[in-house]
Structure formats: C-alpha cells, structure tokens
Amino acid sequence: MGAGAHAHEHLAVPLGRRLARLDVHLLTGGGTGVMTSVSRAFAEVEDRAGLVIGILPLAEAAGGPTAGGDYPNPWVEVPVRTHMGKLGADAFSRNHINVLTSDVVVALPGSSGTASEVALSIRYGRPLVLFGDLDRARDLPDTVATAASVDEVIAFVRDALSRLDGSAPPPP
C-alpha cells in the first residue's frame, strides 16, 4: 500500500523486485505512484511465480464501473473492478478489500488512503509492516512492525507467511 501521487521508487522498486522472487502475488490499488512503481518492478522480474493484482475503484465518469484513465496501471495483470471509492476506511471504500485480501500488508509512504489501509490492517489484525517514513509509527500500537530496509521487509513477509501456513519460512 502507498501513495498514488508519489512513486517513492527508491523504496518501491527494490521491494517489488524482491517480492517477485518469493512465491507471492502482488496486490495494490492498481493506480499510479507507488502502485505503478512496485507493480512494474514486480512484473519485470523473469521467472516470477506471482501475478500483479489491482483492486480498482469506481470512477464517477459515465459508462459503467470503470476506474478511469489512471486505472489500471499498465502492469496490472488481474484487474478487480469494484463499485467502491478510492479512499478512506468507510464501508464503501475499496481499502477494505485491499487489506482483507492481503495475507501481509506492506505500507510505504502515502497520504490519507494509505493511512486508512494501515488503520484497517490494525483493525482486522492483518500482519503489517511500515516501510519508509517510520515517523508514522509514533501514534500506532507497539505491535505495528517497522522496517528500515528491504531486507527487513522481506524477513517480515517471510515470517508472517510462515505463520499463516504453519511452515518454515521460504528460502531467500
């Protein structure tokens, strides 16, 4: 999860590449910014096992439930079109789907949409790690993990996934 307005490529690109080397799918909101950066980096890894999934919001434009010109970004391989809005934690936000569908949530820097995904991750008890802009953790429960490097994020993801399926963590 992360900003739609800023790419934060120094975080998103190495993260996307490393996630693609795990046996996982990548789920984002399917838009611009971090969503595009991490999706592109993930998709460009040869021999990856997972797919790029985008949970798309409804656009106000006439013509049916499409997300508009910025959605999906070119790297989304499985677009999931919804009737839900872009931001927030209200009942009509797609952020519930983003969080509940994710086995592990990695939150990169963002604004109100990312903050709502962090809050929903806590609410729903999803494994959550903040990556970049760690000052965000000051007002969050101590149970929220932080990572200063991609290696730390990958270690968190591997550990969280191993707890979900009860197996040992996959090799690096």
Side-chain angles (χ1 to χ4, degrees), residues 44-129:
E44 288 178 343
V45 171
E46 290 187 31
D47 299 327
R48 65 186 158 90
L51 298 170
V52 179
I53 302 165
I55 308 298
L56 311 182
L58 175 71
E60 275 73 44
T66 62
D70 294 337
Y71 292 89
N73 71 56
W75 307 103
V76 170
E77 297 166 305
V78 181
V80 179
R81 291 172 176 82
T82 74
H83 65 290
M84 303 176 114
K86 291 183 184 180
L87 300 175
D90 65 68
F92 298 104
S93 168
R94 72 185 165 138
N95 291 348
H96 293 273
I97 296 171
N98 294 351
V99 169
L100 290 169
T101 305
S102 300
D103 289 329
V104 180
V105 176
V106 179
L108 282 75
S111 59
S112 60
T114 306
S116 70
E117 287 163 332
V118 166
L120 289 169
S121 298
I122 294 166
R123 175 177 162 188
Y124 292 127
R126 305 311 286 168
L128 167 67
V129 61

Side-chain angles (χ1 to χ4, degrees), residues 5-72:
H6 302 287
H8 295 287
E9 289 200 3
H10 66 289
L11 301 170
V13 169
L15 178 62
R17 289 178 182 150
R18 291 287 301 277
L19 288 171
R21 290 181 177 88
L22 299 178
D23 189 16
V24 300
H25 298 294
L26 177 72
L27 183 144
T28 74
T32 58
V34 164
M35 296 172 277
T36 295
S37 295
V38 74
S39 297
R40 181 184 68 244
F42 186 96
E44 288 178 343
V45 171
E46 290 187 31
D47 299 327
R48 65 186 158 90
L51 298 170
V52 179
I53 302 165
I55 308 298
L56 311 182
L58 175 71
E60 275 73 44
T66 62
D70 294 337
Y71 292 89

Side-chain angles (χ1 to χ4, degrees), residues 130 133-142 144-146:
L130 303 182
D133 186 19
L134 301 182
D135 289 340
R136 299 176 289 167
R138 281 184 302 200
D139 300 325
L140 297 175
D142 292 340
V144 175
T146 59

